[in-house]
Amino acid sequence: MSTPNVIRIGLCGFGTVGQGVWKHLAGARRALESRLGAGIEVHRIAVRNPRKARAVRLPAGRITTDALAVAADPKIHIVCELMGGTSLAREVTLTALRHGKIVVSANKALICDHGAEIFATARRHGGHFLFEASVAGGIPIIKALREGLVANRFPRIYGILNGTCNYILTQMEEQDAPYASVLDEAKRLGYAEADEALDVEGWDAAHKASILAWLAHGVWVKPRQMVVEGITRITPADFKNAAMLGYGIKLLAVITRDLDSNELSVRVHPTLLPEGSVVANVSGVFNAVSVTGDVVGTTLYIGRGAGQDATASAVISDIADAAALLVHGKGSHLTAAETLPARNGCRLAPPEHIKCRYYVRLTVKDQPGVLARVASVMARHHISIASVIQTPGEDDRAASLVLTTHESHERAMNATLRDVARLASVIGEPVLLRIGDFND
Ligand code: NAP
Ligand code: HSE
């Protein structure tokens, strides 16, 4: 393809992210054009319903409802897939790549489900696939991993990867706000996925963890292979208990690799973090990613993890990379993870291999001997108790029992909880949270 004087962009999707890209591209366009030495134009925009009311009005004369036509349009160089979902989004992405175009995507679910196929298609047809906006919103974590930290192997990456959950947890902790009303607010602010279960059940963070694990280790780990737990069972009482123990609660994605045994573990779950740690104090829609490299040591990245502006910032950074590639013939994306030597012998650890300290909250009958019975089940499974707090329950015949353990194996902990739940004096399902003694 000859060097274009004007780079033409097709936007598939003009919702929260698409409108942000339109708005901020207009603001950044002149500076970008002068740095690139070429013009930039949004040539076509695909939406589902052109008559829908929007905060940013649809620019006349470029609207279609046919996203596949945008993907195949010979005049368009860069296709931004900002629709979401994994069906039409996959078709649009593959079509554009088969036409040798550059695709920019914010769609972590798509990358997690179909990343291998997408990157293979890009390679086969000389196209490129850029995805900075897919993980941690405005934080340039993809660039950090594949460019800035290229000298490293990564024994540990962990962090807050879902802005909606962090916003909900913060409001519940600081304002004592009810879960449902905070979730509604997160939706109104444009943080939540169209299917909010992806956020609150932990799947969105799992999609992002999968992408980071692939970038860092060259292995696709699917959410079904991970422990994935969301925030729906956390109550205001858990925040109070955690505070008494000196912890805050965050939904974390944790990716560890034992560089000796080469075992990789990827998981997503609410985690108690020491209240003095930086990550425990990252609040609202902000994300935080702690990356420990074997050469650099630990680096920490914090910024807005969701919402129109932060996400548009990341998409526009990919548009600029894509345009530089078209105009100058090279781009930083060339050091992508697909060039990692296959897996480097890395093996996925079974979830039962997780080893950490645990927080267990039980609702029990307020009767003599209950604590002894619970302790005896734990002893039978070789779980060592570190602390016990008893607080009044919702009625005067019940009590809340909060235990923390010394480091234990997940397998033993799961077996313990099954047996504890069977005790006649235990009411309802036990709540289990993991304690992350990370101090970043
Ligand atoms: P959104 O507000 O729901 O917007 C989706 C857009 O896609 C809408 O403009 C919609 O058209 C269009 N669309 C949907 N189905 C279509 C179809 N069949 N044909 C043509 N257009 C179609 O979603 P969003 O929040 O912008 O998210 C977009 C993507 O970015 C998702 O993959 C999401 O996971 C990702 N992301 C979002 C954020 C965030 O903070 N929101 C952050 C990072 C990544 P209508 O407007 O006509 O309905
Ligand atoms: N729903 C996602 C979140 C959007 O809340 O983090 C950003 O990926």
Side-chain angles (χ1 to χ4, degrees):
M1 194 188 283
S2 59
T3 304
N5 294 327
V6 176
I7 311 277
R8 287 186 212 87
I9 299 168
L11 290 185
C12 294
F14 203 71
T16 302
V17 182
Q19 292 175 45
V21 170
W22 168 264
K23 232 169 37 184
H24 293 295
L25 200 53
R29 204 176 89 192
R30 283 183 59 176
L32 271 178
E33 287 179 340
S34 92
R35 286 167 74 172
L36 288 165
I40 295 182
E41 172 196 296
V42 175
H43 189 69
R44 284 180 93 185
I45 301 176
V47 293
R48 190 170 27 202
N49 174 10
R51 281 173 296 284
K52 185 165 147 184
R54 292 163 210 272
V56 176
R57 193 159 359 128
L58 277 173
R62 350 177 177 209
I63 309 308
T64 174
T65 53
D66 188 351
L68 281 169
V70 174
D73 186 333
K75 293 210 184 86
I76 287 174
H77 304 97
I78 303 171
V79 174
C80 296
E81 189 281 290
L82 307 171
M83 299 183 298
T86 54
S87 177
L88 179 61
R90 172 176 166 272
E91 272 188 74
V92 163
T93 299
L94 295 177
T95 302
L97 291 173
R98 285 185 194 119
H99 283 79
K101 298 181 195 300
I102 303 179
V103 175
V104 170
S105 176
N107 192 335
K108 50 271 164 153
L110 176 74
I111 302 169
C112 179
D113 284 5
H114 301 290
E117 179 187 30
I118 288 169
F119 286 102
T121 307
R123 265 197 310 276
R124 204 172 314 121
H125 296 274
H128 298 280
F129 182 80
L130 308 182
F131 52 103
E132 186 62 67
S134 65
V135 183
I139 302 174
I141 190 66
I142 309 284
K143 273 193 197 299
L145 278 176
R146 72 181 183 193
E147 296 172 36
L149 301 177
V150 74
N152 292 267
R153 294 179 303 161
F154 301 100
R156 189 174 74 192
I157 300 172
Y158 78 91
I160 300 167
L161 297 184
N162 185 273
T164 301
C165 287
N166 207 43
Y167 181 78
I168 294 172
L169 292 178
T170 306
Q171 295 295 319
M172 283 174 73
E173 182 175 19
E174 291 177 2
Q175 316 291 335
D176 220 2
Y179 173 86
S181 75
V182 189
L183 174 58
D184 284 346
E185 184 65 1
K187 285 197 243 174
R188 195 188 62 73
L189 291 165
Y191 302 158
E193 297 302 305
D195 173 6
E196 74 226 24
L198 290 171
D199 295 300
V200 297
E201 303 286 358
W203 300 110
D204 177 75
H207 293 146
K208 293 164 176 169
S210 173
I211 295 169
L212 293 186
W214 173 70
L215 278 167
H217 304 292
V219 184
W220 284 111
V221 182
K222 303 290 179 175
R224 65 182 139 74
Q225 298 171 288
M226 311 174 191
V227 166
V228 180
E229 291 171 12
I231 61 167
T232 51
R233 297 194 65 210
I234 295 175
T235 65
D238 291 314
F239 289 108
K240 291 190 186 107
N241 297 331
M244 270 192 271
L245 294 161
Y247 291 96
I249 304 177
K250 295 291 178 191
L251 181 74
L252 291 190
V254 182
I255 304 163
T256 53
R257 178 169 176 179
D258 183 323
L259 295 180
D260 296 322
S261 69
N262 235 344
E263 267 202 352
L264 177 68
S265 162
V266 186
R267 55 196 209 254
V268 171
H269 47 68
T271 310
L272 271 69
L273 279 180
E275 63 191 358
S277 70
V278 175
V279 176
N281 289 286
V282 170
S283 56
V285 73
F286 280 71
N287 283 187
V289 193
S290 164
V291 180
T292 300
D294 60 345
V295 180
V296 72
T298 296
T299 58
L300 187 57
Y301 310 81
I302 297 174
R304 283 194 170 74
Q308 185 167 81
D309 297 340
T311 312
S313 166
V315 171
I316 292 170
S317 107
D318 276 348
I319 290 175
D321 266 1
L325 193 67
L326 290 160
V327 177
H328 304 299
K330 59 178 193 275
S332 49
H333 66 285
L334 292 173
T335 54
E338 69 231 65
T339 59
L340 280 177
R343 292 169 175 257
N344 299 317
C346 184
R347 281 190 324 278
L348 188 63
E352 310 85 67
H353 281 201
I354 295 172
K355 213 172 154 196
C356 64
R357 300 200 301 118
Y358 293 88
Y359 160 107
V360 182
R361 174 167 55 79
L362 305 171
T363 304
V364 296
K365 292 180 185 161
D366 198 2
Q367 292 169 344
V370 173
L371 178 57
R373 281 194 283 279
V374 171
S376 132
V377 173
M378 294 182 104
R380 205 165 64 233
H381 290 281
H382 306 286
I383 301 287
S384 168
I385 295 172
S387 70
V388 181
I389 303 174
Q390 181 171 331
T391 55
E394 278 167 14
D395 69 64
D396 55 8
R397 283 162 302 163
S400 178
L401 208 53
V402 174
L403 302 108
T404 65
T405 73
H406 290 295
E407 192 169 72
S408 314
H409 270 110
E410 185 99 352
R411 186 199 297 270
M413 205 58 221
N414 287 338
T416 304
L417 281 204
R418 266 195 307 274
D419 288 353
V420 163
R422 284 192 196 117
L423 292 174
S425 41
V426 172
I427 305 163
E429 276 295 299
V431 170
L432 177 81
L433 300 177
R434 294 163 188 85
I435 300 176
D437 286 311
F438 311 141
N439 280 305
D440 315 327

